Amino acid sequence: MSVLETIFGNPRIKKLASYQARVPEINALESGLENLTKEEILAKSGVLKSRAIAGEEVSDLLPEAFALVREVSRRQLKERHYDVQIVGGQVLHDKNIAEMRTGEGKTLVATLPAYLNSLSGKGVHIITVNDYLARRDATWMGQIYAALGVSVAVINHDSSYIYDESHMAPKTDEERDKLGSFKIQYDLLRPCTRKDAYQADITYGTNSEFGFDYLRDNIQYSQDRVVQRGHNYAIVDEVDSILIDEARTPLIISAPVAESESLYATFSKISQAFSPDEDYEVDEKLRAVQITEKGIEKAEKLLGVDNIYTEKGIKYVHHLETALRAKALFLKERDYVVKDGEAIIVDQSTGRMQPGRRWSEGLHQAIESKEGVRVQQESRTFASITYQNYFRLYEKLSGMTGTAETSAEEFLKVYDLDVISVPTHRPTARKDHTDAVFQSEMGKFKAVAKIVKELNKKGQPVLVGTVSIERNELLSEFLRTEGIQHSVLNAKKHEEEGRVIAEAGKRGSVTVATNMAGRGIDIKLGGPNATKEQAEEVKSLGGLFVLGTERHEARRIDNQLRGRAGRQGDPGETHFYVSLEDPLMKVFGSEKIKNLMGRFGVPEDQPIESSMISKSIEGAQTKVEGFHFDARKHLLEYDDVLNFQRKIIYERRKAILFGDDTFVLSEIDVVAAGDPEKTPDGVIGASEKFQALLREKRERMGEAELARSLRQMVLQVIDMLWVEHLEQMDYMRSSVRLRAYGQRDPLIEYKREGLKLFKDMELAIDDNIRQFLPNVGNIAQAKEEKDLKEVHKAADSITGAQSQPVIARRSDEPKVGRNDPCPCGSGKKWKNCGLINAPEHKKI
């Protein structure tokens, strides 16, 4: 405890106490709602909404709103919010992270602040980790919202739905009970447009869907294609997974470049001839490789170049380093899988496949070459944002998870979110054993198979957690050899996740899962549809036994696995089996312990259990967490520079797109006149010339048509130069890293040069608008607009980078380099004269 906390008290404990103190006030309203008809409940909700829209603070409506939601939930779902869930709802409403143990009903908790904040009419977004959970939760909780007159929708990867009870009559209570809570009917979801889904009071969806819709909205050319309506309030489920584990993954909308590189195969072959330690060194902590002098000489010999670091060779150095990283640091069945001829990333924190997501800077192409699958084209970025900066767009942000306390510092510093631990509804009865430490990995797996066999024999359900697909399948072989019937769940079988996890609590079940285990799915003792007698039988056997086969780099992930056992006061046990050959142990030194065990003749499948070793492991995890926090913070510092620029460009773009005709024409008047401070040469003459030109076009085209054409032209110019700017910022970021060797801070250099590049781009936008102004309304210009829109049409097909759009090229087109003179004869480089190498443009 800090000195300040000793004097003034812990602010989080004070917050929690204030939330608990308000529960009796909410409970006191319950009796007055019990006898209301559903029509009266609906009318009462309407009154609350009218008060909020009239300007009353939604926080002042909290007791009445929470009491209404609780009453409707009791009627519709036969689930009445516990007092601790009422506390959790206040935590979320007050812009915090609610840390609530697995099984405490976070999905139901979210209905309280979601309904309350929807009363303002500005929209609420509830973010989940996958499409399945978004559909499930919207349908399940939609029954509450509908009874309160609140509209609910879902956005999925390739479709959108709105909750509509008239679409099909709800099932009876008896039918619903037979189905079980995780088999909620989806026939209440009616397909709708994406824009309609965002117009709903509450919209469910995944983080990538919300993020990519934001980026797509900011490359649109017409108002009716913009789908989002602002960022009012978001509740993020599994907030640690989304805001921390995925924070370093940028959302990118891109299109293939005209020519793909052919160097990946060459350098993949060269990397195979390189030997570790001799030709390159690997730093596991920094996830980096360093080429030795001997390695450089070998590469130069194989490439037939005198000096790989010449201007021509810098590209070679990049390709060589990337090929070596792909070889040494990115392992098949751990970091990625090869499926249907593609290398698909596996999320290390959840074990799920991430189809369509690609590593940047040529790394993904290097891995494709290494695995012998088709190397996809490199892409050109049209829009990008990190999850960190996307979620900081919201006026109000909150989140919930079972494991946030170990990352409380990062949540506070990056997102200004406090972590409040909400007490459990019932006392915890779970027993957590001290780690069992083995000398070797094989010894550990033998011991795992042995204890699983013992537990299975008495009927106690077992959930075994692994950190990779490779270890998942290896352990499965050990169990199969022992004749143990079991289910396997990993990224290759993610479609079966809900069923497999839900049944993991059955008597005698054995489930082997990667870290995705139980995401959003409760493991109920006896199974999802168990009778009271079946559940009690499993409880008498000790409840669910969770066996972790390796410590993860982050304590949160271990705690997520532990949290599968002992839900709602149920009995349960957890035990981690680790070996001195596990990656985490190897990185932080385990030789002394291994030598000690060997000296005393401890067999490889016999463990030692020591609280000192367990604390040492947690200390190692803390160090790794700190390292990753620093890496994410470093990424954010750089992205903040670009984010500042992104906001200015997107705001200007939005003003032009949504401004009326008078606004657009006045903006063009300003640009046409020029700014004497920025463009002093010939401003007066140019101004008179452009004013005359605008008057002529007004008379010829009419004000509405001229404004429409100008709007399209300005948006195209902004997009064209913004894409160029993104590339320049990317190249510049790579180059400033080298300045650290000259005792100069790369971040300061990046900020300074980035600002200069941005100001140059702003000038270039105005210059290009003046340059293209004479062509507005011409046939050639109209055709050019059509070709430019192909970029936007292609981008519309992207969600979560699930596919790479292709800009169509005519087969009879001559290839023109980006730095070659434009064939139109303007004297400019092609890249500065047009975004698409359109045949019509050449004829201007």
Side-chain angles (χ1 to χ4, degrees):
M1 183 179 287
S2 69
V3 176
L4 288 175
E5 285 182 3
T6 304
I7 299 171
F8 299 107
N10 188 319
R12 294 179 189 170
I13 293 175
K14 286 186 174 182
K15 274 188 177 183
L16 181 63
S18 71
Y19 301 141
Q20 290 171 324
R22 208 170 188 187
V23 172
E25 180 187 356
I26 297 165
N27 290 347
L29 299 171
E30 193 166 11
S31 60
L33 300 174
E34 289 175 345
N35 296 321
L36 295 182
T37 65
K38 63 181 181 179
E39 288 79 16
E40 289 171 329
I41 288 281
L42 191 61
K44 202 167 186 66
S45 178
V47 170
L48 288 182
K49 185 162 189 176
S50 298
R51 287 165 61 187
I53 291 174
E56 191 168 344
E57 288 291 332
V58 290
S59 294
D60 295 336
L61 306 175
L62 188 148
E64 295 170 83
F66 277 29
L68 263 182
V69 173
R70 174 191 259 177
E71 174 60 26
V72 170
S73 177
R74 183 185 66 79
R75 297 182 186 192
Q76 296 295 111
L77 303 183
K78 305 298 184 286
E79 294 185 19
R80 176 187 175 276
H81 293 76
Y82 302 128
D83 285 358
V84 291
Q85 291 176 312
I86 296 292
V87 170
Q90 293 178 75
V91 171
L92 293 175
H93 170 69
D94 206 18
K95 298 188 288 187
N96 300 296
I97 289 173
E99 184 182 67
M100 301 183 72
R101 289 278 294 271
T102 299
E104 292 296 306
K106 291 188 288 292
T107 304
L108 193 62
V109 168
T111 59
L112 298 163
Y115 167 70
L116 174 61
N117 285 273
S118 75
L119 295 174
S120 68
K122 296 178 182 177
V124 173
H125 295 168
I126 300 182
I127 289 90
T128 62
V129 294
N130 59 46
D131 282 352
Y132 161 75
L133 291 177
R135 291 194 306 274
R136 185 203 71 174
D137 292 355
T139 310
W140 191 6
M141 299 300 113
Q143 298 168 78
I144 296 175
Y145 300 128
L148 292 166
V150 172
S151 57
V152 182
V154 185
I155 53 166
N156 275 178
H157 165 50
D158 52 2
S159 52
S160 304
Y161 307 94
I162 197 155
Y163 183 92
D164 183 358
E165 291 190 344
S166 67
H167 191 235
M168 187 170 286
K171 290 178 169 56
T172 64
D173 290 349
E174 183 181 352
E175 289 173 320
R176 187 183 291 116
D177 289 340
K178 285 181 181 178
L179 283 170
S181 63
F182 84 102
K183 288 184 178 178
I184 294 295
Q185 63 211 16
Y186 295 139
D187 48 20
L188 296 178
L189 296 179
R190 171 173 55 80
C192 68
T193 67
R194 215 163 182 85
K195 190 162 188 169
D196 285 343
Y198 277 109
Q199 291 299 314
D201 295 315
I202 298 171
T203 306
Y204 284 82
T206 64
N207 47 320
S208 61
E209 295 303 317
F210 283 109
F212 276 104
D213 281 341
Y214 168 74
L215 291 179
R216 275 193 293 265
D217 278 356
N218 283 286
I219 59 172
Q220 294 298 353
Y221 273 16
S222 61
Q223 295 179 19
D224 59 358
R225 293 182 66 83
V226 174
V227 296
Q228 290 188 342
R229 58 175 177 132
H231 298 84
N232 173 44
Y233 176 50
I235 302 172
V236 184
D237 194 9
E238 302 292 358
V239 66
D240 49 344
S241 172
I242 292 172
L243 295 192
I244 291 183
D245 295 334
E246 298 197 39
R248 294 179 67 183
T249 306
L251 301 164
I252 299 173
I253 285 183
S254 59
V257 295
E259 298 176 6
S260 60
E261 290 285 355
S262 60
L263 296 174
Y264 293 107
T266 301
F267 282 93
S268 180
K269 189 174 181 181
I270 289 174
S271 72
Q272 297 308 312
F274 272 46
S275 303
D277 299 327
E278 182 179 321
D279 299 316
Y280 65 95
E281 296 169 352
V282 179
D283 190 323
E284 291 282 356
K285 290 184 189 177
L286 296 176
R287 300 282 288 169
V289 294
Q290 180 69 43
I291 308 170
T292 64
E293 285 294 329
K294 192 168 183 180
I296 291 169
E297 291 173 7
K298 181 180 283 189
E300 288 171 344
K301 184 177 180 181
L302 291 170
L303 288 166
V305 297
D306 295 330
N307 185 352
I308 199 172
Y309 286 98
T310 60
E311 186 178 343
K312 179 183 178 182
I314 286 292
K315 182 182 284 189
Y316 287 180
V317 176
H318 170 73
H319 275 279
L320 180 57
E321 288 180 346
T322 304
L324 289 171
R325 286 184 68 215
K327 172 187 176 181
L329 293 168
F330 291 81
L331 306 181
K332 185 179 177 181
E333 303 296 310
R334 185 192 75 182
D335 301 289
Y336 63 92
V337 295
V338 175
K339 183 180 179 183
D340 300 329
E342 290 185 43
I344 302 173
I345 295 173
V346 171
D347 188 312
Q348 289 299 291
S349 58
T350 67
R352 287 194 177 92
M353 286 192 294
Q354 304 290 312
R357 179 172 290 176
R358 295 178 65 79
W359 284 299
S360 60
E361 298 179 355
L363 175 61
H364 211 104
Q365 285 87 348
I367 288 171
E368 289 168 334
S369 184
K370 162 188 160 185
E371 294 296 339
V373 299
R374 185 177 70 85
V375 177
Q376 296 188 24
Q377 285 181 303
E378 290 186 85
S379 301
R380 192 178 191 199
T381 299
F382 283 84
S384 71
I385 193 171
T386 59
Y387 281 125
Q388 292 163 314
N389 274 318
Y390 172 72
F391 282 106
R392 294 200 301 186
L393 290 171
Y394 284 91
E395 294 175 31
K396 186 172 170 181
L397 180 65
S398 65
M400 51 190 184
T401 180
T403 49
E405 186 59 43
T406 56
S407 300
E409 181 187 3
E410 184 166 354
F411 282 124
L412 187 61
K413 287 185 176 179
V414 175
Y415 302 101
D416 195 26
L417 294 172
D418 249 343
V419 174
I420 309 293
S421 295
V422 180
T424 56
H425 175 56
R426 295 189 179 96
T428 302
R430 191 184 75 207
K431 183 178 180 182
D432 297 330
H433 296 277
T434 302
D435 292 2
V437 183
F438 298 82
Q439 288 188 66
S440 68
E441 188 175 52
M442 285 301 106
K444 175 181 70 176
F445 280 140
K446 287 177 184 176
V448 168
K450 183 179 178 182
I451 189 173
V452 170
K453 191 170 185 177
E454 291 173 5
L455 294 167
N456 183 245
K457 191 174 181 180
K458 74 170 187 175
Q460 186 172 5
V462 183
L463 174 65
V464 185
T466 62
V467 299
S468 69
I469 300 169
E470 181 186 16
R471 293 295 180 271
N472 182 279
E473 294 177 343
L474 177 61
L475 182 57
S476 178
E477 283 299 316
F478 271 88
L479 297 180
R480 196 172 290 115
T481 301
E482 291 290 333
I484 302 169
Q485 290 287 326
H486 62 281
S487 299
V488 176
L489 185 62
N490 57 40
K492 294 180 177 178
K493 300 181 178 181
H494 65 284
E495 297 89 352
E496 303 172 29
E497 178 177 348
R499 179 186 61 78
V500 173
I501 290 298
E503 297 183 357
K506 281 186 174 180
R507 188 186 192 284
S509 70
V510 176
T511 309
V512 182
T514 51
N515 289 322
M516 65 167 58
R519 287 278 184 174
I521 308 291
D522 258 357
I523 298 177
K524 295 184 178 179
L525 298 185
N529 304 311
T531 63
K532 187 176 180 181
E533 291 74 20
Q534 289 171 326
E536 288 300 321
E537 182 186 11
V538 175
K539 287 181 183 179
S540 69
L541 295 169
L544 180 68
F545 193 107
V546 169
L547 185 60
T549 59
E550 195 172 321
R551 285 286 202 144
H552 196 274
E553 286 183 343
R555 289 169 292 170
R556 291 181 297 101
I557 310 301
D558 293 342
N559 291 338
Q560 285 169 3
L561 183 60
R562 284 192 198 278
R564 299 302 132 198
R567 61 178 294 279
Q568 285 286 328
D570 287 343
E573 295 179 69
T574 72
H575 204 172
F576 274 85
Y577 279 28
V578 300
S579 88
L580 300 178
E581 294 177 346
D582 292 346
L584 184 70
M585 300 293 283
K586 285 164 70 177
V587 167
F588 286 90
S590 56
E591 286 303 312
K592 287 184 180 179
I593 304 172
K594 193 170 186 178
N595 292 337
L596 189 66
M597 292 176 76
R599 193 181 307 157
F600 286 98
V602 179
E604 67 170 4
D605 61 346
Q606 182 177 326
I608 61 169
E609 295 191 6
S610 163
S611 58
M612 182 186 73
I613 294 176
S614 293
K615 286 179 181 177
S616 175
I617 293 171
E618 290 195 3
Q621 290 175 307
T622 304
K623 288 179 183 177
V624 177
E625 287 167 2
F627 172 78
H628 288 315
F629 177 21
D630 289 342
R632 288 188 290 268
K633 185 180 175 185
H634 181 71
L635 173 75
L636 184 59
E637 287 172 339
Y638 278 90
D639 193 57
D640 279 345
V641 177
L642 198 57
N643 196 51
F644 171 77
Q645 301 173 359
R646 182 190 298 117
K647 283 182 177 178
I648 293 173
I649 287 296
Y650 284 0
E651 282 169 10
R652 182 173 183 182
R653 214 183 175 285
K654 187 176 181 180
I656 292 294
L657 182 61
F658 285 92
D660 59 23
D661 293 350
T662 303
F663 172 81
V664 173
L665 291 170
S666 65
E667 285 292 295
I668 296 300
D669 283 341
V670 173
V671 173
D675 185 339
E677 292 183 9
K678 297 177 182 176
T679 56
D681 297 332
V683 168
I684 297 174
S687 174
E688 292 175 352
K689 172 187 170 185
F690 283 122
Q691 293 303 324
L693 182 64
L694 283 170
R695 284 195 299 272
E696 181 272 323
K697 287 185 179 293
R698 264 196 183 94
E699 292 171 5
R700 178 165 57 86
M701 300 172 63
E703 193 163 282
E705 180 59 25
L706 175 60
R708 187 197 68 79
S709 296
L710 288 171
R711 183 181 285 111
Q712 296 293 303
M713 183 266 285
V714 172
L715 292 176
Q716 290 163 19
V717 167
I718 291 173
D719 290 349
M720 176 178 71
L721 294 175
W722 176 243
V723 169
E724 291 286 343
H725 179 71
L726 288 177
E727 286 186 351
Q728 287 180 303
M729 291 292 286
D730 192 42
Y731 295 147
M732 193 259 290
R733 181 175 173 179
S734 299
S735 68
V736 296
R737 292 174 189 163
L738 301 174
R739 300 183 195 182
Y741 295 108
Q743 306 303 310
R744 292 158 76 180
D745 187 328
L747 180 60
I748 291 175
E749 295 289 303
Y750 182 74
K751 287 179 178 178
R752 184 176 60 78
E753 294 198 19
L755 180 60
K756 182 180 181 301
L757 286 173
F758 185 69
K759 287 185 178 300
D760 288 346
M761 181 198 67
E762 288 186 305
L763 289 173
I765 288 173
D766 289 354
D767 287 343
N768 275 265
I769 289 171
R770 285 191 287 270
Q771 176 193 333
F772 290 135
L773 194 56
N775 288 332
V776 169
N778 294 350
I779 294 174
Q781 176 71 17
K783 289 182 178 178
E784 189 174 298
E785 285 179 6
K786 180 176 178 294
D787 287 318
L788 283 164
K789 285 182 182 177
E790 289 300 311
V791 175
H792 297 267
K793 183 179 179 183
D796 284 342
S797 69
I798 312 173
T799 298
Q802 294 294 332
S803 61
Q804 295 296 324
V806 177
I807 299 173
R809 295 183 64 92
R810 287 165 51 128
S811 58
D812 59 344
E813 285 187 61
K815 291 185 179 179
V816 181
R818 293 174 61 249
N819 291 308
D820 292 344
C822 184
C824 74
S826 67
K828 287 184 171 243
K829 291 181 180 180
W830 175 80
K831 68 180 184 181
N832 293 328
C833 202
L835 186 58
I836 301 298
N837 190 13
E840 292 84 357
H841 183 63
K842 300 174 192 175
K843 297 172 186 175
I844 296 174

